[in-house]
Amino acid sequence: MAVFDYAASPRRPGHITVRSRFVALRVNYRVLLFALIASVLLLLLATYAMTLGSYSIPFSGVVKAVVGQGDPERLTVVRTLRLPRVICAILIGAALAMSGSIFQGLVRNPLVSPDVIGISEGAGLFAVFWIVTGFDLALLPAAAFAGAALTAMAIYVLTWKGGISPNRLILVGIGIGAMLRAGTNYLSVRYPVEQVRPAVVWQMGSIYGSDWGDVKLLTGLLLVIAPIAVALTWQLRALQLGDGVARSLGLPLERARLGLIVSACALAAVAVALAGPIGFVALMVPHIARMLAGPLSGSVMIFTGVLGALFLLGADMIAQHALPVSLPVGVVTGAVGAPYFLFLLYRANVRV
Amino acid sequence: MTSSDAPMGVVTIRGGKGSRRWLSVSRAAGLALLLAGVVLVALLSLGVGSLTISLGDVWDGLFHYDKSSYDQTVIRSLRLPRTIIGLAVGGGLAVAGATMQAVTRNPLAEPAILGVSSGASFAIVTAVYFLGLTTPSQYLWFGFAGALGAAMVVLFIASAGRGGPSPVKLALAGVVLSSLLGAWTSALILLDEQTLDVARFWLVGSVAGRGLDTFWVVAPFLVGGAIVCLFLGHQLNVLSLGDETAQALGMRTARIRLLCSILVVLITGAAVSVAGPIGFVGLATPHIVRAIVGPDYRWVLPYSLLVGAIFLTGADVVGRVVAKPSELQTGVVTALVGAPFLIYLARQRALAN
């Protein structure tokens, strides 16, 4: 007997159902195809990104250097400088976009993202403290991660009142975020300007100076978290039908919410820890993904991740090369994302 | 105003003319008590700080100024402007918050939460950076424009869709717009070290180090706007019954809304211009006041004015005391005190819908 049995889903065009003895999975292959196309684009863009810079390298040269051929100078530039940065942009963009997608589904509100409900503020306070007091910068990601995780816990605990209400979660998050920002503001005036400046830069969110250590850390963490996030998407879909329906489908509501919140926060925390709070990726990319690929599902979640990677990589290229001064990537995501997002905000409210 | 047009809860529940009069008397007494509180907190603000100044010197500094006395010079040049600005900004923001809560019928309405303060901040930082403006009298108008623009965008976004602007929709639109404007503001600041050094002290929200000349520029809008708001209590009472009821009672709701919105924008723009974005005074104060005097805006507004003045000036004094020898900025203190209040509200009330 075959372990898996593929069949075209009779009701939904564009889907196939994968059955095994224990689970049946309906796969939206159209969206997976989208994801594949986006991945190819991503590869091309990433390669192109590595050709740019003060030391310009032809396309073919980059490809060669990545696999370890070509002259040593090129090898150094590509493999120690450009490749880690590009990979970091891709991974962080994917993590942010998926995190935003989960949050938006969870609270059934398209205007929510980890930066709105205070997670980034928590990472920010810890990181700014770390920077201005002059601790070892190698441990900065750990500090930021701790801040994000503690904040997420505080928000969860303070929102709990016999259960988690999505709207209460938003408001509690906004409150916590405001308190943490007050702390960050205090630190920023308490210390001399030359110590504060790097902290302000960090708060803009940038992936400047990423190295292989960052890449390893990111890859390791995301390899664990991202599959869990994709696997939990079906619970998110059930939750979106409303609490009553979800419960009657047999979903343990609060446990599902906890799992989703933890995975979304973990994704956001990893991204923020390494790059600082890069705005608007988590907020905006899920919208574009939904617009292109339709309502949330496991496949759409993957597609969202790839789109996030594309978006952040593109933004980082603009931040690095397109302008006379090299800016933190967060400035570009803000500037590019904002006008589009204001429009979306309006439209989104119409639909909610 | 006759007693028959007092529509709100407490009065009618107690019933009877005698108890109504007693209520008015006790509320007036409360107002007097708060006025005493304002005087007390003002004296504290004049006397307390890294240099503690005796009451006698405070008195002399105010009324028999002796230029040779160091303490009295501190009073005149530092503490007095700071106190006056604190009182005015606190009172103004609280009245603006109460007015916004009535107009939007939304318990979370507040200049900082709805993005109005960040609009003003962004406009001011832009003006400072690009046009090289340095004094509040120059950038005040940018503060107004920014506040107005942000308020319009947030209201427009939150009003779209079914059910109009619900508390959560308004708060979210405000926060998203704030984070957007915040990102742009920090980008501008980063481009220039000098702007960063100046702006970081202003963006944190503080009433320290502003001169009285600054205050006189914004006072007409800040104090004037708040005073006009005080006279709108009756209109806000009717408005808070809902649009349909208000219109059925013969009120031109659109006109009142517009008037109130303009006043709120003026107050907020002026407050941000002089003190930076100070949050949560406008949120917490009206709620505290309503818990004391009930929902009648004819009382809520004057109470808010005084309680807000006490809140902000008190926060300023606390900020000077707790972190000696340095200071905790007023905006930091109000956020640390006020944000838990938002969380409390979120847990208490049925804001969810």
Short mmCIF file of all heavy atoms in Angstrom, two decimals, chain A residues 112-132:
data_model
loop_
_atom_site.label_atom_id
_atom_site.label_comp_id
_atom_site.label_asym_id
_atom_site.label_seq_id
_atom_site.Cartn_x
_atom_site.Cartn_y
_atom_site.Cartn_z
N VAL A 112 -2.52 44.41 12.59
CA VAL A 112 -1.68 44.07 13.73
C VAL A 112 -0.37 43.47 13.27
O VAL A 112 -0.31 42.78 12.26
CB VAL A 112 -2.43 43.08 14.63
CG1 VAL A 112 -1.54 42.53 15.70
CG2 VAL A 112 -3.61 43.78 15.26
N SER A 113 0.68 43.77 14.00
CA SER A 113 1.97 43.17 13.71
C SER A 113 2.77 43.22 15.00
O SER A 113 2.38 43.90 15.95
CB SER A 113 2.68 43.93 12.60
OG SER A 113 3.21 45.11 13.13
N PRO A 114 3.88 42.48 15.04
CA PRO A 114 4.64 42.48 16.30
C PRO A 114 5.10 43.86 16.72
O PRO A 114 5.27 44.11 17.91
CB PRO A 114 5.82 41.55 16.00
CG PRO A 114 5.75 41.20 14.58
CD PRO A 114 4.40 41.51 14.09
N ASP A 115 5.30 44.78 15.77
CA ASP A 115 5.72 46.11 16.22
C ASP A 115 4.57 46.91 16.79
O ASP A 115 4.78 47.81 17.59
CB ASP A 115 6.45 46.92 15.13
CG ASP A 115 6.15 46.46 13.72
OD1 ASP A 115 5.65 45.34 13.56
OD2 ASP A 115 6.42 47.22 12.79
N VAL A 116 3.34 46.59 16.39
CA VAL A 116 2.22 47.34 16.93
C VAL A 116 1.90 46.89 18.36
O VAL A 116 1.59 47.69 19.22
CB VAL A 116 0.98 47.19 16.03
CG1 VAL A 116 -0.24 47.77 16.71
CG2 VAL A 116 1.21 47.87 14.71
N ILE A 117 2.00 45.59 18.63
CA ILE A 117 1.59 45.15 19.96
C ILE A 117 2.75 45.04 20.94
O ILE A 117 2.63 44.37 21.95
CB ILE A 117 0.81 43.83 19.91
CG1 ILE A 117 1.70 42.70 19.42
CG2 ILE A 117 -0.43 43.94 19.05
CD1 ILE A 117 1.12 41.36 19.79
N GLY A 118 3.86 45.71 20.64
CA GLY A 118 4.83 45.93 21.71
C GLY A 118 6.01 44.97 21.76
O GLY A 118 6.92 45.17 22.55
N ILE A 119 6.00 43.92 20.94
CA ILE A 119 7.11 42.95 20.99
C ILE A 119 8.43 43.65 20.63
O ILE A 119 9.44 43.49 21.30
CB ILE A 119 6.88 41.79 20.00
CG1 ILE A 119 5.49 41.20 20.18
CG2 ILE A 119 7.97 40.75 20.11
CD1 ILE A 119 5.40 40.12 21.17
N SER A 120 8.38 44.43 19.54
CA SER A 120 9.60 45.12 19.12
C SER A 120 10.06 46.12 20.17
O SER A 120 11.26 46.31 20.36
CB SER A 120 9.35 45.86 17.81
OG SER A 120 8.86 44.99 16.84
N GLU A 121 9.08 46.74 20.84
CA GLU A 121 9.45 47.71 21.88
C GLU A 121 10.22 47.03 23.01
O GLU A 121 11.14 47.59 23.56
CB GLU A 121 8.20 48.38 22.44
CG GLU A 121 8.00 49.79 21.96
CD GLU A 121 7.26 49.83 20.65
OE1 GLU A 121 6.57 48.84 20.37
OE2 GLU A 121 7.39 50.81 19.92
N GLY A 122 9.79 45.79 23.34
CA GLY A 122 10.49 45.05 24.39
C GLY A 122 11.91 44.75 23.99
O GLY A 122 12.86 44.98 24.75
N ALA A 123 12.07 44.25 22.76
CA ALA A 123 13.42 44.00 22.27
C ALA A 123 14.21 45.30 22.25
O ALA A 123 15.38 45.33 22.62
CB ALA A 123 13.35 43.40 20.87
N GLY A 124 13.54 46.39 21.84
CA GLY A 124 14.19 47.69 21.73
C GLY A 124 14.73 48.18 23.07
O GLY A 124 15.87 48.61 23.17
N LEU A 125 13.90 48.08 24.12
CA LEU A 125 14.34 48.57 25.42
C LEU A 125 15.59 47.81 25.88
O LEU A 125 16.58 48.42 26.29
CB LEU A 125 13.22 48.41 26.45
CG LEU A 125 13.58 48.84 27.87
CD1 LEU A 125 13.93 50.32 27.89
CD2 LEU A 125 12.45 48.57 28.84
N PHE A 126 15.54 46.48 25.78
CA PHE A 126 16.68 45.69 26.23
C PHE A 126 17.92 46.00 25.40
O PHE A 126 19.02 46.16 25.93
CB PHE A 126 16.36 44.19 26.16
CG PHE A 126 15.65 43.68 27.38
CD1 PHE A 126 14.48 44.26 27.82
CD2 PHE A 126 16.15 42.60 28.09
CE1 PHE A 126 13.82 43.80 28.94
CE2 PHE A 126 15.50 42.12 29.22
CZ PHE A 126 14.34 42.72 29.64
N ALA A 127 17.72 46.09 24.08
CA ALA A 127 18.87 46.30 23.20
C ALA A 127 19.47 47.68 23.43
O ALA A 127 20.69 47.84 23.49
CB ALA A 127 18.45 46.15 21.75
N VAL A 128 18.61 48.69 23.57
CA VAL A 128 19.12 50.05 23.78
C VAL A 128 19.87 50.11 25.10
O VAL A 128 20.96 50.70 25.19
CB VAL A 128 17.96 51.07 23.74
CG1 VAL A 128 18.43 52.42 24.25
CG2 VAL A 128 17.43 51.21 22.33
N PHE A 129 19.33 49.46 26.12
CA PHE A 129 20.03 49.41 27.40
C PHE A 129 21.40 48.78 27.21
O PHE A 129 22.41 49.28 27.70
CB PHE A 129 19.21 48.61 28.41
CG PHE A 129 19.88 48.47 29.74
CD1 PHE A 129 19.94 49.54 30.61
CD2 PHE A 129 20.45 47.27 30.12
CE1 PHE A 129 20.57 49.42 31.84
CE2 PHE A 129 21.08 47.15 31.35
CZ PHE A 129 21.14 48.22 32.21
N TRP A 130 21.41 47.69 26.47
CA TRP A 130 22.66 46.95 26.21
C TRP A 130 23.67 47.85 25.51
O TRP A 130 24.85 47.87 25.85
CB TRP A 130 22.33 45.73 25.36
CG TRP A 130 23.31 44.60 25.51
CD1 TRP A 130 24.31 44.26 24.65
CD2 TRP A 130 23.37 43.66 26.59
NE1 TRP A 130 24.98 43.16 25.13
CE2 TRP A 130 24.43 42.77 26.32
CE3 TRP A 130 22.63 43.49 27.76
CZ2 TRP A 130 24.76 41.72 27.17
CZ3 TRP A 130 22.97 42.45 28.59
CH2 TRP A 130 24.02 41.58 28.31
N ILE A 131 23.20 48.61 24.52
CA ILE A 131 24.12 49.42 23.73
C ILE A 131 24.63 50.62 24.53
O ILE A 131 25.85 50.85 24.60
CB ILE A 131 23.43 49.91 22.44
CG1 ILE A 131 23.09 48.72 21.54
CG2 ILE A 131 24.33 50.88 21.69
CD1 ILE A 131 22.23 49.07 20.36
N VAL A 132 23.72 51.37 25.15
CA VAL A 132 24.17 52.61 25.79
C VAL A 132 25.02 52.34 27.03
O VAL A 132 25.86 53.15 27.40
CB VAL A 132 23.01 53.57 26.16
CG1 VAL A 132 22.33 54.11 24.94
CG2 VAL A 132 22.02 52.90 27.09
#
